[in-house]
Amino acid sequence: HVSALGIEEAFDSKYATSKLDGEMKVKENFPEAIILKPSIVYSVDDNFTTNFMRLLSLLPVMPLYYGGKTKFTPIHVTDITNIIYNIVQKKITGETIECIGPEIFSFKEILLKILKSINKKRLLFSLPLPLAKLNAKLFQLMPKPLLTMDQLKLLKYDNIISKKYKTNFDIKIKANKKFEEEINLYS
């Protein structure tokens, strides 16, 4: 079962509570199941980095929600597939595993790395929460929302290990891809 990292404290997010509910139901009905909790999964065609590359290419300024301080441990899609392969090979069962990449970045640091990869300079500014909420309410009206209220709520919670579960590194499955090196290949 694939869930998400950093959702345990996000009780105000529908996404997080639905993921937690799914985890609970899987554990109740399938005690031998593996639950994977990845951080942001990135690749050449993901929704995260490619959307930000596009936005940062077009917009002269980019708002930083919560000051851009939220932390993430991005993991490359090939590292996730390697984790799944190794779990099957090692016959691991009944575990919840937090799937993390080898680095921790703030949201601002991620945006700066994306800007560097596309060779752009943009003004990043901290958007006060009332304006961020208004921004999200407007964006979520779009056919393909750039930001929803629920995503804004999630952005206040770090997306790093909780220390409640094992990580892929704890079970001797490394994630080797470095975020900046990989996104430089995409631009």
Side-chain angles (χ1 to χ4, degrees):
H1 177 75
V2 179
S3 185
L5 188 62
I7 57 173
E8 279 79 7
E9 308 301 319
F11 296 112
D12 56 343
S13 163
K14 291 178 186 175
Y15 172 84
T17 55
S18 71
K19 286 289 192 179
L20 287 170
D21 186 48
E23 286 182 28
M24 184 182 69
K25 286 186 169 60
V26 167
K27 287 177 187 176
E28 285 173 6
N29 294 296
F30 305 98
E32 296 299 308
I34 295 290
I35 296 174
L36 300 178
K37 297 171 72 75
S39 184
I40 294 170
V41 179
Y42 66 96
S43 74
V44 69
D45 288 322
D46 69 59
N47 284 332
F48 182 78
T49 50
T50 54
N51 280 344
F52 279 112
M53 282 179 174
R54 184 175 46 83
L55 286 172
L56 290 166
S57 290
L58 298 171
L59 301 174
V61 296
M62 174 63 81
L64 292 173
Y65 305 105
Y66 304 102
K69 295 177 183 172
T70 307
K71 291 185 172 70
F72 298 89
T73 49
I75 184 164
H76 195 270
V77 69
T78 58
D79 286 329
I80 288 285
T81 58
N82 185 46
I83 291 167
I84 294 168
Y85 174 79
N86 276 281
I87 286 170
V88 171
Q89 288 295 100
K90 293 178 180 187
K91 297 182 174 142
I92 297 170
T93 61
E95 295 281 354
T96 298
I97 300 167
E98 295 181 326
C99 302
I100 56 169
E103 307 160 299
I104 298 174
F105 299 113
S106 70
F107 183 60
K108 182 178 181 179
E109 289 171 323
I110 288 172
L111 292 180
L112 289 171
K113 289 182 183 309
I114 291 172
L115 281 168
K116 183 178 174 187
S117 79
I118 61 174
N119 200 26
K120 301 278 185 186
K121 292 184 189 273
R122 297 292 186 253
L123 174 65
L124 304 177
F125 67 97
S126 189
L127 192 63
L129 190 56
L131 290 176
K133 287 180 179 179
L134 178 63
N135 188 281
K137 285 179 183 178
L138 292 173
F139 279 154
Q140 72 185 12
L141 297 174
M142 300 172 78
K144 281 186 152 184
L146 299 174
L147 179 72
T148 66
M149 282 297 294
D150 204 54
Q151 290 168 330
L152 180 63
K153 289 174 185 174
L154 279 173
L155 276 174
K156 73 178 147 184
Y157 301 100
D158 286 337
N159 200 261
I160 57 176
I161 61 170
S162 68
K163 299 184 182 169
K164 293 179 185 176
Y165 309 104
K166 293 178 182 175
T167 70
N168 47 292
F169 288 92
D170 294 330
I171 60 171
K172 309 290 187 251
I173 305 171
K174 291 184 180 179
N176 298 314
K177 303 277 186 179
K178 303 266 185 176
F179 183 76
E180 189 168 6
E181 292 170 9
E182 290 301 313
I183 62 168
N184 284 334
L185 298 173
Y186 307 158
S187 51

